[in-house]
Amino acid sequence: MVNIIENPATLTGRDLRISPLGRVEGDLDLRVTIRDGVVTSAWTEASMFRGFEIILKGKDPQAGLIVTPRICGICGGSHLTKAAYALDTAWQTELPPNATLIRNIAQACETLQSIPRWFYALFAIDLTNKKYAHLPEYDEAVRRFAPFVGTSYEHGVTLSNKPVEIYAIFGGQWPHSSFMIPGGVMCAPTLADVTRAIAILEYWKDEWLEKKWLGCSVDRWLQNKSWADVMEWMHENERHYNSDCGFFLRFALAAGLDKYGAGWNNYIATGTYFHPERYARPTIEGRNAALIARSGVYVNGQFYDFDQANVREDVTHSFYEGSHALHPFEGRTEPIDPAVGHRQGKYSWAKAPRYLIPGVGSHPVEAGPLARQVIAGRPGAADWQDYDPLFLDAVTTVGPSVLVRVMARMHEAPKYYKLVRKWLDQINLHEKFYIKPKELPEGRGFGSTEAARGSLSDWIVLKDGKIENYQVVTPTAWNIGPRDGREVNGPMEQAFIGTPITDPSDPVELGHVARSYDSCLVCTVHAYDEKTGKALAQFRIGEGA
Amino acid sequence: MATLLWLQGGACSGNTMSFLNAEEPSACDLVTDFGIEILWHPSLGMELGENAKRIFYDCASGVRPLDIFVFEGTVIQAPNGTGRYNMFADRPMQEWVRELAAQAGIVVAIGDCACWGGIPAMAPNPSQSTGLQFHKRELGGFLGPNWRSKAGLPVINIPGCPAHPDWVTQILVAVASGRAADIALDELQRPQTFFTSFTQTGCTRVQFFEYKQSTLEFGQGTRTGCLFYEFGCRGPMTRSPCNRILWNRQSSKTRAGMPCTGCTEPEFPFFDLAPGTVFKTQKISGAIPKEVPTGTDPISYMALAAAARVAAPKWAKEDMFVV
């Protein structure tokens, strides 16, 4: 194998680029080498830097509530959620059950919005690529998924607005509200707010989720507990077979999307949604036990408890000073000119997050819906926690792939619909939504949630009533981060390896892999022939939200 | 038929996400009903790779007519003016911006970042970010104070963090339906039709404001009172139609109990989020708001407030938005 990787700049002879330390949004350069029609190496290069962690230093302790949602307008509500929990733990607040319910509802609604918007606007349009013109399903794919005019595209994109209408009822607007604050939420909904939210949720469930996507009831879909069940479901009747879900499964299998994009098969979920009574006094230590969608780490087929103390960010190949791997409480963000960084073998603005398992070692781990759903398969859930074996079965029987990753995401739509409906029914309109906290001048906080595209966490250090250090680790960083100090690939870099490329001048397969992760970056792919070093193609594969 | 190219610099995609929330017209309607040809958009375009790049070069060189250039996000100039902190299609984004702006019929800055520099341009501004034609309230920005588009217009600023989708789509529809001449701009180059009234205009708490009744606590307490007196609400000093044209067709920040942060004004985020300024009204002697509603002076406002408090009816102290 030709190793040309030590300094990417020598190959391309130009600056490479990627995302900010916000690590979401911005541009992603992806460089791959191809040998005999198969990807053998990959480098993900984030090319934009804004410096939010630097901006937050010295600011008001609550500045993160306003600033971090603007790291990524796609996951803004998720940024707000974890920023609020970071302060809750630092200020040792008390949360009334209503506040936890509203936060859960808002957080889940952002994800419910993202699922169809991502699928139709960002993923499925590539299924209309001419590569698939020979498939019997092709004309139907164009009819459904063509941008702007596809029958399912317009429906899916427009109805994706509905879940965030619920967000707006409680939070005022989506994106970019800051209505979650330490001690609770700012709103105090009335009966009409709750009934309207329920009506919108039901409309979305009827019109998109059941009618368009599933072709069956939510409850019927949720009876699927294994990948074999999903295959059986698809053939069960014409409604399933011809739904967007059934059609996508058929198309993906015909197109071979179940054959590549596996990655490391190691996963992380920091978990999300809290039991309203069990996280009334948020602490870092008490977090795992209070979660509804559980946290956990899955490495080499073993489950481990998630502990924020084991997170490291490695900057060996990132455009920051040094080559350290630090815990975020000690994290540093000292940018250097990419032109200088390239000479040191650095190639991305993303840091490389790694999870350290004591006694086992440091690992790149994939974040996102597939990670969440694998962790959901871990035995031993408490009765308020989600236990769902479907995708642990999928990765252990058929293995991870583009198809399985996409399906894990779509599977969350019925699951979270059920949760949101339950939480809406639990709001007690006559009780508190906020308990005023004491604003402690010193402290450390950790807040985390699951954005649609994966684990999203803040570490905050307060000193003298202001922010001493603020570090954000995004799902995009977990996934698109570069190699670490031991030259181990990031998760998405690994997932590209083994991808077969039919037409090097239009390697749509790379687009499928990149988009299956939904990294928040506009990706540019530079493909090279490994034998000759010649450029094969350079093309944009669009944005994962 | 109007051609449109949309690029993102130091952006968060929030304006794009907001734009996708549009209905009447939706993003799809803009294409199918109003003949706006979206040449390329970071989230929506089909063109890939070399094809996409060809569009940028053809527009930048004038080979392909570009009617509307939409920019979201800041212009990143770091390090040292090189723009290397934001590379795009093999060049610093700032070079694309300069060339595309020069060829466009009109240039629309969407969101605070593109208008004024926004949050990335907050101190210490590590990315040397600025807006297209303003840096905060100062005219100039990246393109300079005297820059004009081919149609003879300065940059049209549609601020907000993010901009409301209707503010964007309705300006695009105005251009596409031949009403561009009706787009009157204020001194900050914002369309007057949206940015003359205040955030407070249409706020459901305005009667509490009139009688100077304050919200005392977030959460339950926000069913009564106005957020201006204690929680730093900038509704009376901010030009935006957030309470006339509701967000997500449902609500607004102030209706949901969140103080307006003034995000359509160039100073957002106000006071650079210094300690003690977030969600707290800045006061003189711990009692009198430092800033009073636009157009009033502190002394007459205090007199008015004192009288209003005396005149306040009983209901103004009660929960109006009851369960």
Side-chain angles (χ1 to χ4, degrees):
Chain A
M1 253 233 269
V2 181
N3 187 352
I4 37 158
I5 306 338
E6 305 314 325
N7 185 351
T10 57
L11 187 74
T12 62
R14 61 176 190 79
D15 291 338
L16 300 167
R17 44 181 203 275
I18 198 168
S19 135
L21 50 98
R23 303 169 202 115
V24 263
E25 217 292 309
D27 292 324
L28 175 67
D29 269 15
L30 167 65
R31 196 159 61 79
V32 296
T33 50
I34 297 170
R35 189 185 184 97
D36 302 328
V38 175
V39 173
T40 54
S41 239
W43 298 264
T44 50
E45 308 166 352
S47 67
M48 192 264 278
F49 176 79
R50 292 165 298 169
F52 279 77
E53 290 157 336
I54 298 170
I55 288 170
L56 280 164
K57 276 188 189 228
K59 301 292 198 295
D60 187 283
Q62 296 189 94
L65 303 170
I66 291 175
V67 170
T68 69
R70 273 78 181 197
I71 289 174
C72 174
I74 304 165
C75 303
S78 306
H79 276 279
L80 176 62
T81 306
K82 50 70 176 147
Y85 280 111
L87 280 174
D88 283 315
T89 53
W91 279 357
Q92 302 166 28
T93 65
E94 186 181 355
L95 290 178
N98 273 340
T100 304
L101 290 169
I102 300 273
R103 288 181 183 189
N104 287 350
I105 290 164
Q107 172 67 65
C109 282
E110 179 171 273
T111 298
L112 291 180
Q113 165 266 155
S114 181
I115 291 169
R117 194 172 282 192
W118 166 81
F119 180 80
Y120 295 104
L122 305 169
F123 184 85
I125 59 175
D126 279 343
L127 306 181
T128 67
N129 187 284
K130 64 183 184 320
K131 169 185 171 165
Y132 302 115
H134 67 285
L135 297 180
E137 294 86 358
Y138 180 74
D139 290 345
E140 180 62 15
V142 172
R143 199 177 69 77
R144 292 187 195 217
F145 300 143
F148 300 112
V149 295
T151 51
S152 294
Y153 178 99
E154 183 170 4
H155 205 74
V157 170
T158 306
L159 282 173
S160 71
N161 296 345
K162 294 301 160 192
V164 285
E165 291 187 0
I166 299 170
Y167 197 109
I169 286 173
F170 300 107
Q173 68 179 69
W174 188 91
H176 288 347
S177 183
S178 297
F179 81 107
M180 298 179 196
I181 38 169
V185 292
M186 290 175 173
C187 63
T190 65
L191 174 63
D193 291 329
V194 173
T195 51
R196 188 161 180 80
I198 292 172
I200 293 169
L201 182 71
E202 293 299 320
Y203 175 81
W204 177 83
K205 184 262 287 179
D206 291 345
E207 294 302 312
W208 177 71
L209 182 54
E210 292 188 341
K211 210 176 277 181
K212 272 285 184 188
W213 177 253
L214 293 175
C216 70
S217 72
V218 159
D219 290 326
R220 168 63 193 90
W221 170 265
L222 291 175
Q223 288 167 13
N224 294 329
K225 300 296 177 199
S226 67
W227 194 251
D229 286 352
V230 170
M231 292 297 117
E232 255 178 60
W233 169 90
M234 178 173 76
H235 292 289
E236 190 171 287
N237 62 43
E238 280 191 15
R239 285 184 301 111
H240 299 180
Y241 192 77
N242 291 321
S243 66
D244 277 358
C245 179
F247 176 73
F248 169 68
L249 284 167
R250 289 186 281 132
F251 187 100
L253 291 168
L257 300 189
D258 57 330
K259 298 282 189 283
Y260 59 90
W264 287 116
N265 205 13
N266 291 337
Y267 306 98
I268 187 168
T270 57
T272 190
Y273 313 133
F274 291 100
H275 185 285
E277 311 286 347
R278 292 177 187 274
Y279 210 45
R281 290 190 174 276
T283 60
I284 298 174
E285 300 71 31
R287 192 176 171 278
N288 284 344
L291 286 164
I292 294 171
R294 288 177 292 161
S295 63
V297 176
Y298 181 84
V299 169
N300 299 337
Q302 295 289 316
F303 285 107
Y304 301 90
D305 290 340
F306 168 74
D307 181 350
Q308 63 79 30
N310 295 333
V311 174
R312 298 288 181 276
E313 286 197 291
D314 188 312
V315 298
T316 305
H317 289 288
S318 313
F319 296 136
Y320 303 98
E321 295 288 352
S323 57
H324 44 74
L326 297 174
H327 183 271
F329 275 137
E330 277 72 49
R332 299 206 301 267
T333 303
E334 301 152 338
I336 59 176
D337 186 340
V340 175
H342 284 144
R343 292 196 287 275
Q344 303 168 9
K346 293 175 183 282
Y347 61 89
S348 178
W349 281 110
K351 295 178 185 174
R354 294 291 183 267
Y355 191 82
L356 179 69
I357 302 170
V360 175
S362 177
H363 289 272
V365 280
E366 172 178 340
L370 179 57
R372 283 196 286 273
Q373 295 310 316
V374 169
I375 300 302
R378 185 183 188 178
D383 62 3
W384 64 90
Q385 294 184 313
D386 176 39
Y387 169 71
D388 182 351
L390 173 52
F391 283 88
L392 180 61
D393 175 76
V395 300
T396 46
T397 57
V398 297
S401 63
V402 170
L403 170 60
V404 167
R405 196 172 288 117
V406 171
M407 286 306 296
R409 184 159 205 186
M410 305 313 288
H411 179 61
E412 294 191 328
K415 289 183 76 166
Y416 295 169
Y417 153 76
K418 297 273 285 188
L419 288 173
V420 172
R421 179 58 207 266
K422 185 171 93 180
W423 295 325
L424 282 167
D425 289 340
Q426 287 176 351
I427 293 172
N428 183 338
L429 295 167
H430 304 280
E431 291 294 331
K432 286 176 182 293
F433 292 83
Y434 172 79
I435 296 169
K436 191 175 165 55
K438 194 163 185 299
E439 302 188 6
L440 306 177
E442 318 276 326
R444 286 181 168 216
F446 168 70
S448 190
T449 188
E450 292 284 335
R453 53 208 46 75
S455 299
L456 174 58
S457 310
D458 281 358
W459 283 261
I460 187 172
V461 180
L462 298 176
K463 203 176 164 198
D464 301 330
K466 57 190 183 201
I467 294 171
E468 170 87 356
N469 195 8
Y470 206 108
Q471 296 287 321
V472 184
V473 177
T474 63
T476 297
W478 280 113
N479 289 333
I480 63 102
R483 285 158 174 73
D484 57 31
R486 296 172 306 141
E487 305 303 316
V488 176
N489 288 345
M492 206 160 104
E493 291 181 331
Q494 187 65 20
F496 285 110
I497 294 173
T499 301
I501 307 296
T502 307
D503 174 5
S505 72
D506 185 14
V508 65
E509 300 88 347
L510 297 174
H512 295 322
V513 176
R515 286 172 200 254
S516 75
Y517 278 91
D518 191 17
S519 56
C520 297
L521 298 154
V522 183
C523 305
T524 303
V525 173
H526 304 266
Y528 295 87
D529 185 296
E530 192 182 352
K531 288 178 185 162
T532 64
K534 269 176 60 181
L536 292 170
Q538 181 179 326
F539 57 99
R540 300 190 70 78
I541 53 176
E543 174 176 282
Chain B
M1 195 71 174
T3 59
L4 181 149
L5 178 64
W6 182 317
L7 295 183
Q8 296 175 341
C12 72
S13 253
N15 291 285
T16 286
M17 284 299 115
S18 185
F19 174 68
L20 287 175
N21 289 337
E23 286 182 21
E24 297 144 358
S26 69
C28 293
D29 294 338
L30 284 178
V31 176
T32 55
D33 297 348
F34 292 93
I36 290 179
E37 186 190 355
I38 299 179
L39 298 177
W40 197 80
H41 179 288
S43 297
L44 305 173
M46 258 308 266
E47 278 79 8
L48 305 175
E50 289 303 309
N51 289 340
K53 229 162 135 183
R54 193 169 307 121
I55 294 170
F56 310 148
Y57 275 112
D58 285 353
C59 290
S61 62
V63 170
R64 186 161 188 174
L66 176 60
D67 297 312
I68 307 167
F69 174 45
V70 176
F71 194 66
E72 172 180 359
T74 64
V75 182
I76 288 179
Q77 302 174 102
N80 306 315
T82 64
R84 279 197 292 265
Y85 279 17
N86 182 20
M87 299 295 291
F88 178 74
D90 298 334
R91 308 168 73 196
M93 177 60 90
Q94 63 178 12
E95 292 176 19
W96 286 115
V97 171
R98 197 178 296 286
E99 291 175 16
L100 290 164
Q103 297 295 339
I106 65 165
V107 172
V108 183
I110 292 194
D112 281 4
C113 291
C115 294
W116 337 112
I119 284 182
M122 267 178 85
N125 194 357
S127 59
Q128 293 170 21
S129 275
T130 193
L132 281 179
Q133 208 170 8
F134 280 83
H135 185 80
K136 303 293 176 183
R137 194 168 284 269
E138 188 185 336
L139 182 62
F142 178 69
L143 294 170
N146 301 317
W147 179 91
R148 291 295 178 270
S149 70
K150 281 205 161 165
L153 293 167
V155 171
I156 297 174
N157 285 328
I158 305 181
C161 191
H164 189 293
D166 287 13
W167 312 341
V168 179
T169 55
Q170 287 167 22
I171 291 297
L172 295 178
V173 168
V175 171
S177 60
R179 286 186 177 271
D182 286 338
I183 304 174
L185 303 178
D186 70 9
E187 76 284 2
L188 294 170
Q189 295 169 202
R190 303 177 293 195
Q192 290 184 14
T193 186
F194 297 126
F195 297 99
T196 306
S197 63
F198 294 94
T199 305
Q200 192 177 31
T201 311
C203 178
T204 50
R205 297 169 191 283
V206 81
Q207 286 167 301
F208 294 125
F209 174 80
E210 291 302 334
Y211 290 113
K212 313 305 165 201
Q213 299 301 311
S214 179
T215 295
L216 298 175
E217 202 170 83
F218 287 126
Q220 200 77 358
T222 57
R223 290 210 199 114
T224 61
C226 170
L227 298 154
F228 169 74
Y229 300 100
E230 296 297 331
F231 296 103
C233 183
R234 304 201 59 85
M237 294 89 79
T238 300
R239 308 276 188 172
S240 96
C242 289
N243 278 299
R244 284 196 289 137
I245 302 172
L246 295 181
W247 283 84
N248 311 85
R249 295 160 290 282
Q250 300 301 327
S251 193
S252 71
K253 289 201 206 70
T254 62
R255 287 184 181 200
M258 180 182 152
C260 167
T261 52
C263 77
T264 52
E265 300 290 337
E267 290 79 10
F268 173 83
F270 280 80
F271 315 112
D272 276 350
L273 305 178
T277 65
V278 175
F279 305 133
K280 292 184 181 77
T281 301
Q282 302 304 293
K283 293 184 185 175
I284 302 161
S285 324
I288 306 160
K290 254 186 201 164
E291 285 176 272
V292 292
T294 300
T296 61
D297 64 85
I299 292 172
S300 12
Y301 184 74
M302 287 310 136
L304 171 75
R309 253 180 241 117
V310 171
K314 185 168 167 290
W315 57 256
K317 300 173 197 300
E318 292 169 355
D319 183 351
M320 190 187 283
F321 307 104
V322 293
V323 167

